[in-house]
Amino acid sequence: MSAAFETVVGLEVHVQLATRSKLFCPCPTDGFGAPPNTRVCPVCTGQPGVLPVLNRAAAELAFEAALALNCRLAPASVFARKNYFYPDLPKAYQISQYEKPLARDGWIDLPGAGRHVRIQRIHLEEDAGKLLHAVGSRELEGSWVDFNRGGVPLIEIVSEADIRSPEEAYAYLKGLREVVQYAGASRCDMEKGELRCDANVSLRPAGTSGFGIRAEIKNLNSLRAVKDALEYECRRQAEVLASGGRVAQETRLWDAQRGVTEPMRSKEGAEDYRYFPDPDLPPLVADAKWVAELKARLPELPAAKRERFASQYGLGAGDSELLTSDRSLAEYFDAAARGLGPAAAKLAANLIATEVLARLKAEGLAPEAARLPAAELGALAALVEGGTLSSKGAKAAFAALWEKGGSAAETVARLGLAQVSDEAQVAAWVAAALAANAKAAADLKAGNDRAIGSLVGAVMKLSRGKADPVVVNRLIKESIKP
Ligand code: ADP
Ligand code: MG
Ligand code: ZN
């Protein structure tokens, strides 16, 4: 983007809460991929005469997400009707919150950037149904509506316009997803639509502090899409402004296939919705004792975990970011590294980043389903750190442990993977290697340090890879001393 402009972005993120039932009725929330309209009742299809009843679990998850996002909870929040007609909304209003949202004034750290993005407000609302447009099928030709998703609980998390680049938008969303997942409020599976994002973006002359006219981009269903769409939209707006034009205040759609945003409709204002408090629902009161219980239930959050992994185990930023990107992966590492010193903990982190993650991915398993108990992974790292096992040996032992179970020490012994550090044994291999490689030995003696490589290689061959390389190097150097 041209340096003449600064990017200003604010995100509105909808997150599906991980409840078993819907927000105002007992219908199950597992309707994704199920036959259409099999998770519905008179309440979530807007039949006359029904009354909504708030799902307590949804309120609790919303509070927990808000607390984890450093928000202030409203003592009482109020449900409001957002009125509009659309075929996926049978009541012709959505139950949401407007003037009195559940929470305000939070923030999220941008890991690595050393600053945070403020959260303006979080409100609780119900999802709408889903339209399906069938073309080319004789019986199904036309538009259909599936209400399985109608009434599923969502929170909408609205940021301040504090985001300054598409990369920061990506980092914000990634951080938000991590925190919400840690809090257990949502699984945030974007492929199932459990986390959806609308991005508001405008440009302003570099060095100024006002806001330009924004476009709102919808239909962003992956982190990648958010970044790509914002990059495209910033370029487009920069061109409009640079040529003396005005950016239209409008809603645009991201077309991922073509990599462009396109106008969808002119932006609606709040007044278009005729919000008013829903007379069917009492205010949601954030009782102090209840909130304290929920707060106590929150786990250690990602930022705190990253800090602790650095101070307790001496992990670098890259390792702790990778390991904390998923709560159960972080817990696996924590259990593996318990009691290890920094060097062994780093080795455990490496084994997880390579071997464990590769196996989990190949077998489609979550970290908590790892076949190798964390304690044995820690034991393996300790064996490498203590010099019993080479990193190659560790790989072989890991494979055997993953497939057959058992303890690390026993497996290493059974497979004969331990390195030999015994001086007498290594000295015998070194002597044999020097005798068989007279030229290399002579070169090394003459001061060609590189000749040591082939001698070490010869010892490794003789020992079938078991000689401890540290001892081998030392004994070779000692043996050529005059
Ligand atoms: P609406 O409810 O109409 O979508 P809001 O005022 O609630 O609008 O803002 C929605 C989001 O848009 C917020 O994240 C806010 O920070 C962001 N936003 C508002 N104005 C701008 C702007 N000029 N440029 C970029 N983002 C903006
Ligand atoms: Mg909006
Ligand atoms: Zn229902």
Side-chain angles (χ1 to χ4, degrees), residues 67-90:
L67 290 169
L69 293 167
N70 308 298
C71 290
R72 236 173 356 92
L73 301 188
S77 55
V78 172
F79 290 100
R81 293 186 179 180
K82 180 178 183 180
N83 299 283
Y84 64 97
F85 171 77
Y86 205 63
D88 64 6
L89 191 69

Side-chain angles (χ1 to χ4, degrees), residues 228-248:
D228 290 350
L230 284 172
E231 269 163 11
Y232 173 87
E233 183 62 17
C234 289
R235 271 199 312 276
R236 187 189 72 81
Q237 291 187 12
E239 278 165 25
V240 171
L241 295 172
S243 64
R246 276 173 64 88
V247 173

